[in-house]
Amino acid sequence: MYGKGILKGLGVTLKRFADTYLDDISWWLQGRKRYYTQEGIAHRSSKNTRGIFTVQYPEEQLIQPEEFRYVPFLVYNEGAEGKKEVRCTSCGICAKVCPPQCIWIVRTNDPNTGKPVPEPKNFYIDMDICMNCGFCAEYCPFDAIKMDHDFAIASYGRNVYNLEKLLKPASYYAEIRPLNYVKEEDARKAKEAAKAAKAEAAA
Amino acid sequence: MEENKYEGLNLPNYNIPEDIQNVVSVTTIDRLYNWGRRWSVWPLMFGLACCAIEMIAAQASRYDMARFGMEVMRPTPRQADMMLVSGTVTKKMLPSIIRLYNQMPEPKYVVAMGACASSGGPFKEGYNVVAGIDKFLPVDVYIPGCPPTPQALIAGMIKLQEKIDKQSIKKVRWYEKGKVDSNYVPMPILGPDLIDVRRSAEFEAAAVKKEGVA
């Protein structure tokens, strides 16, 4: 018989439609909220979901996986009295590896000697050119530049970010990428311990 | 904070006495007009590159732009309100895009989606790519990303809705007297160095100056 497939397809749609309401009722009976909650979106993103699976974006967001990457940002350590210890040394490796060449670094020179100081005077990234490849974060030897999870950055003009706008604390980085953060901190501590041991052996 | 949120939203600024607050409500023509427009921004159905795939994803049931009244992708520019430039604008495609833009009736908006449309992205110095559609069209919202995820695209659309909210019927360009088609963009001339006709006088002056020196 012709048209069997169409009927089957319509049946699937109808089942989805009914499932939405059945799921709504079962969640309501359990006293859980199916919409606009972390729990709800986690369930609707899982493979066990039935019925509606629309992400009601501004009210709720998909839970981003840790390795999700959008545009880059610069990490700073929170020093004493809220001092921003910028990790970046303005070495320029990120600007060199950037495929679309959207990073521009202004280096600092010592006012007395004129020699370069390992700290950026300013740091520009044209977010409208950035292609979210993550090479800068991959190549940075100081773990200073990382990829952000924040994607709602649309604006009415060109998005050229300066140092002030790029800086975000290390605690924020730990929050969005907990596993990577722990790994990097452990590696850094191990390196420091090895250096100390070597210095002791030499002495 | 609260005041900042409502700044420029064409509010009536009229205090209703407390005893009739649940009977009377006051609004402005602007608010009504913008409310109608903001929930029926119909995009023009065309995609240029990989960003178009994300645009399709945003339109489908997972993200469902119909929640914003943007589900009707018009195949003709005559019925569209918004041009979503989704992808790399090549020099060969540009005249067609300009023609589509000129055929759109006012009010019309342009959204540059993704790195290529905003600035040329990785192809910004390419021989065949326009380094950003904003060189030719007045872009209202820039959405960074390569490509922007459906959620980022929707965030951009919300930005556009906020822009619509802040417009006033008295000041919008399409009701200005004596300016019938104020936003007409002349067709660029296709060639090795794509020429923006609006700037031809400037180029000619530069050429004359150069010749004069030589």
Side-chain angles (χ1 to χ4, degrees), chain A residues 53 55 70 100 128 132 155, chain B residues 61-62 119 124 142 144 146 159:
Chain A
F53 55 89
V55 181
Y70 214 66
D128 276 329
N132 317 143
S155 74
Chain B
S61 54
R62 176 67 161 162
S119 66
K124 65 182 192 295
Y142 295 79
C146 187
K159 266 277 194 252

Side-chain angles (χ1 to χ4, degrees), chain B residues 46-135:
Chain B
F46 85 112
L48 296 172
C50 27
C51 279
I53 305 298
E54 295 297 300
M55 179 184 73
I56 294 161
Q59 288 282 3
S61 54
R62 176 67 161 162
Y63 297 96
D64 199 11
M65 262 168 41
R67 294 179 295 128
F68 300 91
M70 293 174 186
E71 77 278 28
V72 209
M73 299 286 271
R74 299 323 298 198
T76 160
R78 305 281 183 202
Q79 298 168 352
D81 301 300
M82 185 237 304
M83 182 180 236
L84 192 60
V85 186
S86 51
T88 321
V89 183
T90 54
K91 285 182 181 170
K92 197 167 185 181
M93 190 65 195
L94 184 72
S96 311
I97 294 172
I98 304 278
R99 176 167 290 168
L100 287 172
Y101 178 78
N102 285 337
Q103 286 179 354
M104 279 163 71
E106 292 273 22
K108 53 188 172 185
Y109 299 93
V110 180
V111 176
M113 176 186 181
C116 295
S118 303
S119 66
F123 316 113
K124 65 182 192 295
E125 282 156 11
Y127 69 96
N128 60 342
V129 171
V130 179
I133 191 71
D134 57 355
K135 286 201 160 56

Side-chain angles (χ1 to χ4, degrees), chain A:
Chain A
M1 197 186 94
Y2 289 114
K4 235 182 188 171
I6 294 175
L7 286 177
K8 206 174 158 191
L10 285 172
V12 170
T13 309
L14 196 68
K15 189 172 170 293
R16 278 274 166 89
F17 180 71
D19 276 349
T20 301
Y21 291 100
L22 290 176
D23 235 26
D24 277 353
I25 291 166
S26 77
W27 276 62
W28 178 70
L29 288 176
Q30 290 166 37
R32 289 148 78 197
K33 279 191 89 178
R34 191 164 130 82
Y35 301 99
Y36 312 142
T37 55
Q38 285 288 309
E39 191 198 7
I41 191 82
H43 176 253
R44 273 183 290 136
S45 307
S46 74
K47 65 183 193 322
N48 301 320
T49 186
R50 301 188 305 155
I52 195 169
F53 55 89
T54 304
V55 181
Q56 316 274 344
Y57 165 64
E59 289 88 13
E60 61 185 15
Q61 283 185 17
L62 276 184
I63 299 156
Q64 306 291 7
E66 184 172 337
E67 294 299 339
F68 173 76
R69 55 171 199 260
Y70 214 66
V71 290
F73 69 99
L74 288 175
V75 186
Y76 71 83
N77 295 333
E78 288 129 306
E81 293 161 21
K83 197 170 172 283
K84 290 180 182 176
E85 290 166 4
V86 184
R87 286 187 185 178
C88 176
T89 61
S90 70
C91 66
I93 290 175
C94 52
K96 217 168 257 174
V97 298
C98 178
Q101 295 284 301
C102 68
I103 301 177
W104 178 253
I105 305 168
V106 183
R107 289 184 176 163
T108 316
N109 286 325
D110 195 300
N112 300 322
T113 58
K115 280 180 181 166
V117 179
E119 194 191 312
K121 197 175 192 178
N122 214 332
F123 201 106
Y124 298 100
I125 300 183
D126 191 335
M127 294 306 183
D128 276 329
I129 296 178
C130 173
M131 57 187 239
N132 317 143
C133 63
F135 274 20
C136 47
E138 203 76 31
Y139 278 90
C140 182
F142 306 100
D143 292 325
I145 188 162
K146 292 289 169 195
M147 302 306 277
D148 206 343
H149 280 187
D150 182 21
F151 52 79
I153 51 172
S155 74
Y156 303 130
R158 281 286 296 269
N159 300 284
V160 183
Y161 283 20
N162 58 9
L163 183 66
E164 200 185 329
K165 218 170 170 192
L166 282 167
L167 280 177
K168 284 183 178 175
S171 58
Y172 172 79
Y173 174 56
E175 193 187 306
I176 63 166
R177 291 175 196 270
L179 296 177
N180 277 320
Y181 180 76
V182 169
K183 208 164 75 188
E184 280 159 18
E185 286 299 292
D186 286 350
R188 196 173 55 82
K189 271 172 199 155
K191 208 174 166 188
E192 268 171 22
K195 208 175 170 187
K198 207 177 168 190
E200 214 164 87

